Amino acid sequence: MEENGEARGLAEGKILSIWMILFVVLVLLPSMFRVSLGISHFYVKLLIKILEWATLQTEEGVKKQKVLALENLISTGIIQREETSMEQEIAGQRPGHFSFADVMYFSKKGCEAVAEDEVTRRFSSEELVSWNLLSRTNANLHHVNWQLTVVWVIGILVRYCLLMPFRICLAVFSILLLVLATTVVGQFPNGRENRPQEGGICVANHTSPLDVLILASDACYSLVGQVHGGLLGLIQKSCMQTSQHVLFERSELKDRHLVRKKIREHIADKAKLPILIFPEGTCINNTSVMMFKKGSFEVGGTIHPVAIKYDPRFGDAFWNSTKYSIMTYIFNVLTSWAIVCNVWYLPPMVKEEEEDAVHFANRVKAVIAAQGGMSVLPWDGGLKRKKVKESFKEEQQKKYCQIIIENGSVGNGNVC
C-alpha cells in the first residue's frame, strides 16, 4: 500500500512538473519577452476550418430534411423596418396639413418598439448567421446529421475537459488574472503607430471587462470607471494599489464633478500614463456604438480613439451584466473556443474651435464605429437599467410640431 501511495505521489508530481514547464515555456516566457510562438493563431485557423465544415454540414442537412432554410432558423430580427425618417413618412404622404392618419405612423412605431426595439437587442448576445458549435446558437442544429452530432459532442469534451481546466490552471499560476487564462488573440491590423501617449485620453467602445485586459496587455493605462462589488470590485482594489485610477459612483452627481477635475489634473501631467475611458458607460454587444457621455470630452486634451471588434464565431465576449454575474461570465468565457478580436489605434483627435463636447463625442464615436464595422446609435446605454428620459419623448413631439409648422398648417406654431 505504501509503495502504491509513493508511486501515485510520484506520478502526480510528474504531472504537476509537466504543467509548470508547459506554463513557463509556452505562456510565461513568451509573454515576458513579447514573443508569439504562433500557437494561438494556428489554433484559430484550425477552428475556422472546423466551423466552415460545420456550416456546410448544417446547410446540406437542412436541405436534405426539407425544413426551414438556415437563415430562417437563426433569425436576426422578428420584424422588418422601413429605414425612413418621420419627415419622409409624414410630410411625404399628404399635401401639407394636419391629418388624423398621422396617428398611424406613431402607432406603427410604437408596435415596432414593443415587438423589437433597436436598443434592447443591443444588450443581448449577438445572433450568428452560422452555428459555432456552442449551445448559445445551436437551434437544435446538432441533430442535422450524425457527423455533426459527433463533432459537437467532441467539442463539448474538449472545451469543458481540456480547455477549461488548462485555462483555470493558468489563471492560478498567472499574476494577470484571465489575461493569460483565456485564449485571447488580439490583432492590431493598422499597427501600433497611433497608440495612446502619456497625458492623453484613450476612448474605446465597450463590450466586456476583457477590453481592459486586451488593451493593458499592449500598454499601461490609468482607468476611469464605475465602482463594482464582488470579484470585480476585488480586482479593482488590487489595481488601485499598482497605479492611479479613478473610480466613481455613477449615481452620485458630486462624483462626476470630482472625476472631471481628476481627469484634468491627470492629463496636465504629461509624465503620467494615458487615461482609459469607455464613454458608453456600459457593455454593448459589439454590433453598435451607443451614445458617448460628454464628460470625458469636456476636459480638453488629445483624444486617442480605439476601436475594438470581437469575432463572435469563437465565443461571446459580451457581458450582459443584468443577466449574468461576473463569475458566470468568466465561466462562459473559459468554456468558449477562444476570444478573438481586432484592435485599431486610430489617429489622435482634438476638439475643433466652436465645437461643443456633444458634437466632438459624436465625431469620435462615428470614427470608432466606422473602423469597427458597427452601427451608430444615438441612444444612451443607461437605458439598460433606466427608463427613457422625458426629453427623448419631447424631442419627437417637437420634431412633429416642426413638420406641421413648416407645412404651414398651424398658424404661427402656437400649438407646439
Side-chain angles (χ1 to χ4, degrees), residues 209-373:
L210 295 176
D211 299 338
V212 177
L213 301 179
I214 290 171
L215 292 177
S217 67
D218 191 55
C220 295
Y221 296 92
S222 292
L223 306 179
V224 175
Q226 164 77 19
V227 174
H228 290 276
L231 177 61
L232 199 55
L234 181 62
I235 296 174
Q236 285 181 331
K237 291 179 181 178
S238 300
C239 292
M240 290 293 290
Q241 297 176 3
T242 61
S243 183
Q244 295 180 344
H245 304 289
V246 181
L247 302 180
F248 62 93
E249 283 288 354
R250 190 177 287 114
S251 58
E252 293 291 337
L253 183 62
K254 62 179 182 180
D255 278 11
R256 300 181 190 177
H257 296 300
L258 183 61
V259 167
R260 212 170 289 138
K261 178 182 177 183
K262 287 186 176 181
I263 292 176
R264 284 197 181 99
E265 294 174 352
H266 189 100
I267 63 176
D269 187 350
K270 300 303 179 183
K272 290 187 176 181
L273 296 173
I275 289 181
L276 175 59
I277 303 177
F278 300 104
E280 289 170 296
T282 190
C283 295
I284 312 299
N285 71 356
N286 213 220
T287 62
S288 62
V289 182
M290 301 187 75
M291 185 181 79
F292 275 12
K293 304 291 193 302
K294 66 177 181 177
S296 54
F297 299 89
E298 292 177 327
V299 298
T302 302
I303 298 294
H304 299 269
V306 176
I308 305 174
K309 180 64 176 177
Y310 292 89
D311 193 329
R313 292 176 297 175
F314 308 103
D316 185 17
F318 169 61
W319 180 31
N320 186 351
S321 56
T322 60
K323 185 177 180 180
Y324 300 114
S325 66
I326 186 64
M327 293 301 297
T328 303
Y329 172 74
I330 291 174
F331 177 79
N332 292 336
V333 169
L334 291 177
T335 55
S336 64
W337 292 116
I339 299 298
V340 180
C341 74
N342 285 321
V343 178
W344 292 273
Y345 292 124
L346 304 176
M349 301 175 68
V350 294
K351 189 164 67 172
E352 298 176 350
E353 292 184 10
E354 300 183 356
E355 183 181 32
D356 60 24
V358 174
H359 286 86
F360 184 33
N362 289 335
R363 187 157 60 90
V364 174
K365 179 180 72 172
V367 169
I368 291 175
Q371 182 62 69

Side-chain angles (χ1 to χ4, degrees), residues 2-265:
E2 292 181 359
E3 293 179 356
N4 292 335
E6 291 178 1
R8 190 182 304 112
L10 290 173
E12 293 174 354
K14 289 181 179 179
I15 293 174
L16 181 60
S17 300
I18 292 173
W19 275 102
M20 289 295 295
I21 293 172
L22 288 175
F23 170 74
V24 172
V25 174
L26 300 180
V27 178
L28 188 58
L29 291 178
S31 299
M32 289 174 58
F33 296 102
R34 305 183 72 84
V35 175
S36 174
L37 300 180
I39 298 175
S40 296
H41 292 281
F42 172 78
Y43 172 66
V44 169
K45 290 180 180 179
L46 178 62
L47 281 178
I48 292 175
K49 295 292 184 182
I50 294 175
L51 296 179
E52 288 176 349
W53 174 85
T55 300
L56 292 175
Q57 291 294 312
T58 302
E59 292 175 347
E60 292 176 1
V62 168
K63 291 177 182 178
K64 290 179 181 178
Q65 294 179 12
K66 297 181 179 180
V67 294
L68 295 175
L70 180 61
E71 54 269 20
N72 291 332
L73 280 172
I74 306 177
S75 174
T76 57
I78 60 177
I79 58 176
Q80 184 174 0
R81 290 182 172 84
E82 296 179 6
E83 299 297 332
T84 54
S85 64
M86 182 190 299
E87 292 84 351
Q88 292 173 319
E89 289 207 28
I90 292 182
Q93 291 177 358
R94 53 183 170 72
H97 60 78
F98 173 79
S99 173
F100 281 105
D102 295 346
V103 176
M104 298 304 298
Y105 166 79
F106 295 102
S107 299
K108 183 187 75 170
K109 291 297 182 182
C111 292
E112 288 179 351
V114 171
E116 183 188 41
D117 68 274
E118 65 177 356
V119 177
T120 304
R121 59 177 175 164
R122 310 298 176 179
F123 304 137
S124 58
S125 297
E126 177 185 1
E127 280 296 338
L128 305 178
V129 177
S130 59
W131 186 32
N132 61 357
L133 298 177
L134 297 175
S135 58
R136 175 172 75 84
T137 52
N138 62 20
N140 292 323
L141 295 178
H142 54 278
H143 295 310
V144 168
N145 59 44
W146 70 267
Q147 296 100 324
L148 199 59
T149 302
V150 170
V151 172
W152 178 65
V153 171
I154 293 174
I156 292 177
L157 296 175
V158 169
R159 288 188 293 110
Y160 284 86
C161 300
L162 181 61
L163 293 180
M164 186 177 71
F166 181 72
R167 290 164 178 171
I168 291 175
C169 288
L170 295 187
V172 171
F173 291 109
S174 176
I175 299 175
L176 299 176
L177 181 64
L178 289 179
V179 173
L180 303 178
T182 307
T183 306
V184 178
V185 183
Q187 304 178 48
F188 302 84
N190 65 343
R192 296 177 169 84
E193 180 181 352
N194 296 314
R195 189 163 57 184
Q197 303 298 317
E198 286 76 7
I201 301 176
C202 173
V203 299
N205 57 299
H206 197 25
T207 304
S208 157
L210 295 176
D211 299 338
V212 177
L213 301 179
I214 290 171
L215 292 177
S217 67
D218 191 55
C220 295
Y221 296 92
S222 292
L223 306 179
V224 175
Q226 164 77 19
V227 174
H228 290 276
L231 177 61
L232 199 55
L234 181 62
I235 296 174
Q236 285 181 331
K237 291 179 181 178
S238 300
C239 292
M240 290 293 290
Q241 297 176 3
T242 61
S243 183
Q244 295 180 344
H245 304 289
V246 181
L247 302 180
F248 62 93
E249 283 288 354
R250 190 177 287 114
S251 58
E252 293 291 337
L253 183 62
K254 62 179 182 180
D255 278 11
R256 300 181 190 177
H257 296 300
L258 183 61
V259 167
R260 212 170 289 138
K261 178 182 177 183
K262 287 186 176 181
I263 292 176
R264 284 197 181 99
E265 294 174 352

